[in-house]
């Protein structure tokens, strides 16, 4: 059974394979597509530190909220990642919401996206959240499927002045 774990050195090889996959296919969240794999291969510490930099009790730069990354893994295999924002700010309320996720290209369409969100909802509940916001592009059918499979209730479709595509906002009550 896959589980959610904090990012760690144990999954380095598999994680970097997944980043290579995403970069080769051009399909992944923005930071995945820009990570420098050669640098991370030589020294994984800075990447792990970057992933942990918004966890409580870290002092936050202006405009940021506390958040955490968790990885979906099975054995030593990295399958995907989720980011869980502990609160919303004005920007996240419009775009981004509480939870964002990504499944490595070779593991898609096998139910892992639905599982990573289900596990993240459990973690959000443990953190005391009672309702979470999720947003996705209107044309991101995979993400829509993941959210709807987890009981997402559609708030509506919106156009934002700082983002090129129409988006959907969903709420899930925990
Ligand atoms: C979106 C994403 C996480 C989906 O992950 P996944 O593991 O493929 O999702 P699942 O296998 O759990 O699929 C969930 C549902 O969506 C459907 N689905 C998944 N990908 C799809 C696609 N590309 N087109 C249409 N439907 C799709 C599945 O068929 C499934 O529906 P079903 O249960 O009725 O069969 C994955 O495509 C991804 O990482 N994309 C890039 C990053 C991203 O877009 N993140 C979300 C940002 S909001």
């Amino acid at each position: 059974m896959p589980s959610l774990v904090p990012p760690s050195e144990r999954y380095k090889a598999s994680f970097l394979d997944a980043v290579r996959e995403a970069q080769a296919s051009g399909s992944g969240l923005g930071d995945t597509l820009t990570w420098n794999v050669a640098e991370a291969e030589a020294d994984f510490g800075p990447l792990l530190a970057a992933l942990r930099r918004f966890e409580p009790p870290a002092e936050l730069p202006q405009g940021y909220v506390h958040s955490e990354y968790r990885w979906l893994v099975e054995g030593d295999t990295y399958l995907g990642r989720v980011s869980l924002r502990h609160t919303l700010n004005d920007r996240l309320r419009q775009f981004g919401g509480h939870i964002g996720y990504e499944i490595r290209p070779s593991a898609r369409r096998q139910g892992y996206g639905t599982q990573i969100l289900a596990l993240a909802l459990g973690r959000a509940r443990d953190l005391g959240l009672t309702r979470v916001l999720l947003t996705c592009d209107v044309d991101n059918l995979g993400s829509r499927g993941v959210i709807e499979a987890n009981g997402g209730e559609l708030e509506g479709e919106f156009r934002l002045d700082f983002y090129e595509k129409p988006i959907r906002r969903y709420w899930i009550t925990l």
Side-chain angles (χ1 to χ4, degrees):
M1 267 294 275
S3 57
L4 272 192
V5 299
S8 83
E9 192 85 27
R10 173 175 170 188
Y11 309 100
K12 174 181 173 181
S14 182
F15 172 81
L16 291 177
D17 279 349
V19 174
R20 282 190 205 93
E21 264 174 26
Q23 293 184 352
S25 66
S27 175
L29 297 181
D31 50 355
T32 305
L33 299 179
T34 56
W35 275 320
N36 185 320
V37 176
E39 277 178 15
E41 186 102 64
D43 184 1
F44 205 47
L47 192 142
L48 289 176
L51 293 177
R52 291 186 191 130
R53 72 191 183 284
F54 302 125
E55 289 188 10
E59 277 192 35
L60 298 170
Q62 181 73 25
Y64 285 80
V65 299
H66 281 129
S67 65
E68 62 188 40
Y69 280 104
R70 291 291 179 268
W71 286 355
L72 186 73
V73 298
E74 190 158 31
D76 288 337
T77 302
Y78 168 92
L79 295 165
R81 70 192 177 108
V82 61
S83 167
L84 173 58
R85 272 72 76 171
H86 294 187
T87 53
L88 297 180
N89 58 22
D90 288 346
R91 174 139 177 145
L92 289 167
R93 173 67 184 79
Q94 290 189 67
F95 181 76
H98 286 97
I99 299 177
Y101 41 79
E102 167 183 49
I103 297 298
R104 67 187 293 174
S106 62
R108 290 184 192 164
R109 308 216 57 169
Q110 299 166 50
Y112 291 125
T114 302
Q115 274 187 51
I116 203 171
L117 178 55
L119 291 167
L121 294 174
R123 173 74 185 144
R125 203 176 286 118
D126 291 346
L127 287 168
L129 298 180
T130 54
R131 203 167 165 245
V132 295
L133 175 67
L134 295 112
T135 75
C136 68
D137 294 352
V138 166
D139 65 4
N140 191 339
L141 299 182
S143 192
R144 284 169 55 165
V146 164
I147 298 168
E148 288 167 14
N150 279 283
E153 288 174 39
L154 184 65
E155 178 181 302
E157 293 190 356
F158 303 89
R159 281 195 172 275
L160 306 170
D161 50 17
F162 56 84
Y163 188 67
E164 69 275 11
K165 289 183 170 184
I167 62 147
R168 286 186 153 206
R169 290 197 195 111
Y170 291 90
W171 289 92
I172 298 177
T173 302
L174 301 175

